[in-house]
Amino acid sequence: MFDREREWGALSAFATDEASGATLGVVSGRRRQGKTFLLRALCRATGGFYFAAEEATDGESLRQIGAAIGDHLGSPAPLSFADWRQVVDALLALGRERPVPVVIDEFPYLARANPRLPSIIQNALAPLRVERDQSRARLLLCGSAMSFMGRLLSGNAPLRGRAALELVVPTLDHRLAAEFWGVVDPVTALKVNAIVGGTPAYRREFVRDDVPVGPEDFDSWVLRTVLSPTSPLFREARYLLADEPDLRDAGLYHSVLAAIAGGNANRGGIASYLGRKSSDLAHPLTVLEDCGLITREPDVFKANRTNFRINEPLVAFYHAVMRPIWSDLEHTRDARRLWERAQRRYIGNILGPHLEHVCRHWTRYFAPDDLFGDVPNKVGSGTVNDPARRTSHELDVVAYGLDDDNRSPLLAIGEVKWGEVMGLGHLERLTRIRALLTAQERYGAADARLVCYSATGFTDDLRDRAATDPGVVLVEAADLYR
């Protein structure tokens, strides 16, 4: 188990709680993050009950869980249940003697076949009910269908207010992903992370520990893994969408994702790419957001402007690089030329935006406390109008603090470059933008630090300037991993 101490600690505390009365926990997270591994390990360590649901009819699922409970109890024959009320009471009975975890994995499969199941569990866990009060079963419902799991405890859902544990198993951030993959070179680590993200299973089960041994091996690694039709990674992005039950019109959702991956990050750009009205996109964008596949990122300077970003790097890579040449990739015996021709899309649509996201994440959570004069409380991107030149300027990183009066001073503004050595010209641009923000009377703008983020490096002139001016900050690839 790698970097799941917090999740393991929360599950262990929940499963071994000696308090009387059965309790409910919900575990969710995108696929391939290690949820099943954690829950199986928990049941193995505590003698708990684990059941993995399958896509099946309601009747077949009843037979399957009856057989599983019978096997757990050592019964000579499978148990037979007429309905799920009997099943839930049998599960609660497993905790009569001691606290014990009772896990139902892939719970959305069961609820899809029987939509009343959440209400049945709600009633089974009702206060003053004998079966609940005399049990110390720790019922854990787990699922990867993020839209469904997100609704399970929200709004007027039957189980709202019933759960004593709500655990989301996250993907590994860029630093942990580099450690997990064993990639030492920071630029190579960023390039790997821009394709496979922080999903643990992609290294173990999908590429069988095939890791680029250095910068010179990266292109070969891409060819023998994600671009190889014999590799499970090759079709994984397609399967991720197919796993979400709410994505019924697959073609529409693929097109929306392709638009975002192609650089059309706002609603108008997506609508233009699809040839539809912006008002037609409200539903598909909301569904993709509920599924955890995209994120809304509001402009920090314009409340009415929102950009969209694909959460799963492999999905972004598929739509930006693979989908336009899918047939060629399927039929070629050597994808090297295809990969060479795709470099512009890979660098412009994948590496650049991914580095911007990593820089914002690093600024918010990992930057040294004194780097920006205060600890950032909010980090995003934004657009600044320049009336004199009748244009606007994009800022890749904007960091705000939080003072004692609950105000948000502007701490820093920054620009991010992947394949460009940054120099004094970039600093002059940031200086002008800071002057515009100061003229707009943005709180803290006059003292905001100017930050250059680059994966390629900086000119000597810019380094000399940063060495003598504390208001200028340089962040290179290695800094993102310190």
Side-chain angles (χ1 to χ4, degrees):
M1 187 161 54
F2 179 86
D3 187 61
R4 294 301 187 201
E5 289 84 0
R6 180 183 68 88
E7 291 80 4
W8 180 255
L11 288 170
S12 298
F14 176 80
T16 59
D17 183 5
E18 292 286 347
S20 59
T23 52
L24 173 69
V26 174
V27 180
S28 61
R30 283 147 62 187
R31 289 196 181 277
R32 328 295 190 200
Q33 304 309 317
K35 301 185 300 298
T36 295
F37 179 88
L38 281 168
L39 294 172
R40 282 187 177 275
L42 180 71
C43 290
R44 180 176 296 179
T46 59
F49 171 77
Y50 176 88
F51 173 73
E54 299 177 359
E55 290 189 278
T57 63
D58 193 47
E60 184 182 8
S61 295
L62 281 172
R63 289 193 295 273
Q64 289 175 343
I65 198 167
I69 296 174
D71 183 64
H72 179 77
L73 295 173
S75 300
L79 302 185
S80 178
F81 298 106
D83 55 41
W84 285 101
R85 294 180 180 84
Q86 295 180 1
V87 171
V88 176
D89 282 344
L91 294 175
L92 297 183
L94 298 178
R96 284 180 180 168
E97 302 298 327
R98 62 181 180 88
V100 61
V102 177
V103 175
I104 300 180
D105 203 354
E106 299 298 352
F107 180 71
Y109 289 154
L110 300 181
R112 195 185 311 168
N114 189 335
R116 295 179 301 161
L117 192 50
S119 296
I120 293 171
I121 295 174
Q122 174 200 25
N123 292 329
L125 296 175
L128 302 180
R129 189 169 183 268
V130 174
E131 290 81 359
R132 171 194 176 274
D133 293 344
Q134 293 183 353
S135 170
R136 283 181 288 174
R138 309 304 176 212
L139 181 61
L140 287 161
L141 308 179
C142 179
S144 301
M146 296 298 290
S147 55
F148 175 89
M149 298 303 292
R151 294 192 301 267
L152 201 57
L153 302 177
S154 65
N156 296 320
L159 294 177
R160 178 172 173 77
R162 287 282 192 261
L165 174 71
E166 186 175 0
L167 178 64
V168 178
V169 180
T171 59
L172 303 177
D173 62 51
H174 69 282
R175 303 197 313 170
L176 290 170
E179 182 181 347
F180 182 75
W181 279 80
V183 181
V184 177
D185 176 66
V187 173
T188 304
L190 284 168
K191 293 166 77 172
V192 172
N193 190 244
I195 296 178
V196 295
T199 299
Y202 291 162
R203 175 181 176 176
R204 300 294 191 216
E205 290 88 347
F206 280 64
V207 301
R208 301 180 303 281
D209 290 325
D210 184 353
V211 177
V213 295
E216 68 286 346
D217 186 44
F218 174 75
D219 289 330
S220 297
W221 175 81
V222 171
L223 292 171
R224 64 181 182 259
T225 55
V226 68
L227 294 186
S228 171
T230 64
S231 168
L233 274 182
F234 184 73
R235 295 176 177 83
E236 172 67 2
R238 289 188 165 196
Y239 296 154
L240 287 174
L241 264 69
D243 287 338
E244 287 291 343
D246 286 352
L247 303 185
R248 295 183 177 88
D249 186 352
L252 172 61
Y253 294 106
H254 276 292
S255 294
V256 171
L257 291 168
I260 299 172
N264 304 285
N266 57 52
R267 190 186 295 265
I270 299 170
S272 177
Y273 181 91
L274 268 63
R276 296 195 175 196
K277 298 179 181 178
S278 294
S279 57
D280 295 339
L281 298 178
H283 178 68
L285 288 172
T286 299
V287 171
L288 286 170
E289 188 177 12
D290 290 343
C291 293
L293 289 171
I294 65 172
T295 296
R296 295 175 189 258
E297 297 185 336
D299 189 306
V300 297
F301 299 124
K302 297 183 177 181
N304 62 346
R305 177 171 175 170
T306 300
N307 287 332
F308 296 89
R309 179 179 59 83
I310 298 177
N311 270 335
E312 174 55 62
L314 189 61
V315 172
F317 182 82
Y318 165 75
H319 282 94
V321 175
M322 299 175 67
R323 191 166 178 252
I325 55 173
W326 182 256
S327 179
D328 292 333
L329 287 171
E330 280 190 309
H331 294 94
T332 187
R333 291 184 175 274
D334 183 5
R336 192 170 305 275
R337 287 191 303 112
L338 296 174
W339 175 233
E340 290 173 355
R341 283 157 41 194
Q343 287 302 295
R344 184 174 180 179
R345 296 196 306 277
Y346 171 59
I347 294 172
N349 295 7
I350 299 298
L351 286 180
H354 185 74
L355 179 61
E356 292 172 11
H357 167 66
V358 168
C359 288
R360 287 191 289 268
H361 186 79
W362 178 86
T363 299
R364 175 67 177 87
Y365 297 105
F366 300 122
D369 291 346
D370 60 346
L371 191 64
F372 306 114
D374 197 0
V375 178
N377 177 257
K378 182 178 71 172
V379 177
S381 59
T383 306
V384 181
N385 289 330
D386 189 343
R389 298 184 179 179
R390 297 182 180 180
T391 186
S392 61
H393 303 281
E394 303 287 338
L395 283 173
D396 301 320
V397 181
V398 181
Y400 286 96
L402 185 66
D403 64 16
D404 294 337
D405 297 323
N406 207 33
R407 296 180 299 175
S408 299
L410 186 61
L411 300 180
I413 58 174
E415 183 172 3
V416 179
K417 294 296 181 184
W418 172 264
E420 185 176 340
V421 176
M422 300 186 74
L424 291 177
H426 297 89
L427 184 62
E428 290 169 4
R429 175 179 179 272
L430 291 174
T431 301
R432 174 166 180 77
I433 297 174
R434 182 173 63 181
L436 292 170
L437 293 169
T438 303
Q440 295 174 7
E441 299 183 348
R442 301 275 183 178
Y443 179 49
D447 299 318
R449 302 196 177 182
L450 309 178
V451 191
C452 294
Y453 303 82
S454 176
T456 306
F458 311 98
T459 64
D460 292 338
D461 289 343
L462 182 56
R463 289 187 184 276
D464 291 342
R465 177 70 177 276
T468 58
D469 186 348
V472 177
V473 178
L474 306 184
V475 179
E476 50 194 344
D479 295 320
L480 300 173
Y481 288 92
R482 292 196 179 104

